């Protein structure tokens, strides 16, 4: 896209409660898990040292919560478009994300009010749900106040 190209994307008016987001499969590579732990300044050994992670009772290194939060937000903003901004990510962790697995993100719009859209999200891997919760995004003031 060039600097003069028009930015297009989803608008608040395009969204309906009950809308299902397209699934997103995220390969869980060792590089993703280690590099995102380091990028978020989480130097706990269970996120980068397989031997120490096993000594602490884990089968391998596992993804940190900051990365899980970021991936949940990315999943929703990729769908919501460039005009949406993340207002809140509220998730709970379940099964760990280990290298070599895949986390599949799913979502559904559960509310829409005053320019805010709340999306229920689940990130599941072969062990079960890694994360579940909601991500709330806001749209520009021009659309605020319009309900579904």
């Amino acid at each position: 896209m060039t600097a003069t190209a028009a930015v297009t994307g989803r608008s608040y008016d395009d969204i309906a409660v009950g809308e299902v987001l397209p699934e997103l499969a995220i390969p869980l590579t060792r590089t993703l898990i280690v590099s995102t732990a380091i990028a978020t300044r989480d130097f706990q050994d269970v996120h980068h040292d397989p031997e120490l992670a096993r000594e602490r009772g884990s089968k391998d290194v596992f993804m940190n919560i900051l990365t899980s939060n970021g991936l949940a937000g990315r999943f929703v903003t990729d769908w919501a478009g460039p005009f949406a901004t993340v207002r809140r990510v509220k998730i709970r962790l379940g099964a760990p994300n280990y290298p070599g697995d895949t986390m599949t993100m799913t979502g559904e719009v559960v509310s829409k009010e005053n320019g805010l859209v709340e999306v229920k999200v689940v990130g599941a891997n072969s062990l079960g749900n890694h994360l579940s919760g909601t991500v709330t995004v806001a749209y520009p003031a021009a659309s605020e106040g319009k309900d579904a």
Side-chain angles (χ1 to χ4, degrees), residues 9-81:
R10 177 176 218 85
S11 75
Y12 181 75
D13 296 331
D14 295 334
I15 297 167
V17 173
E19 182 175 347
V20 175
L21 282 64
E23 287 187 357
L24 173 65
I26 301 169
L28 301 172
T29 65
R30 184 171 304 278
T31 300
L32 174 69
I33 291 169
V34 172
S35 65
T36 56
I38 292 168
T40 59
R41 301 177 58 91
D42 184 345
F43 303 116
Q44 292 292 318
D45 49 33
V46 294
H47 301 307
H48 65 83
D49 188 321
E51 185 177 319
L52 288 174
R54 284 189 286 279
E55 284 179 20
R56 285 166 177 58
S58 180
K59 77 173 194 175
D60 202 339
V61 296
F62 55 91
M63 184 173 283
N64 72 351
I65 191 168
L66 297 170
T67 302
S68 301
N69 271 304
L71 291 173
R74 169 218 169 172
F75 171 61
V76 174
T77 57
D78 281 359
W79 163 82

